[in-house]
Amino acid sequence: KSGENTGYSVEYDRDWTWIKFDEKPSDDILTVLKDVLGGRFSGKRQAWYFTRHIEDAEICEAIGVKA
């Protein structure tokens, strides 16, 4: 779903998943990124990262974007 007016894009780097939002996500989405998906924010890349491969469908479901 990334790149289709979802407000975020996903990039895969080896086993890592990077999610970059067009604008700062809501507090609810931030909570999901941290507590549910286990992500951390990289200030250098201005993106959320996860040390595992996360499919788009799982991201959409977790943050409430229709797949």
Side-chain angles (χ1 to χ4, degrees), residues 1 3 5 8 12-17 30 33 35 39-41 43 45 50 52 54 56 58 61 64-65:
K1 280 292 139 195
N5 298 321
Y8 71 91
Y12 299 103
D13 184 4
R14 299 181 194 173
D15 290 337
W16 287 35
T17 303
L30 293 175
L33 292 171
D35 300 338
R40 299 191 65 185
F41 187 75
R45 286 180 70 165
F50 308 83
R52 64 186 176 96
I54 303 175
D56 252 356
E58 183 180 351
E61 182 179 337
V65 174

Side-chain angles (χ1 to χ4, degrees), residues 12-56:
Y12 299 103
D13 184 4
R14 299 181 194 173
D15 290 337
W16 287 35
T17 303
W18 291 85
I19 302 175
K20 186 169 190 168
F21 289 87
D22 296 341
E23 298 179 357
K24 183 178 179 180
S26 69
D27 289 342
D28 290 340
I29 290 177
L30 293 175
T31 298
V32 169
L33 292 171
K34 289 186 279 190
D35 300 338
V36 176
L37 295 176
R40 299 191 65 185
F41 187 75
S42 167
K44 183 177 180 179
R45 286 180 70 165
Q46 293 294 296
W48 286 86
Y49 67 94
F50 308 83
T51 56
R52 64 186 176 96
H53 186 90
I54 303 175
E55 295 295 334
D56 252 356

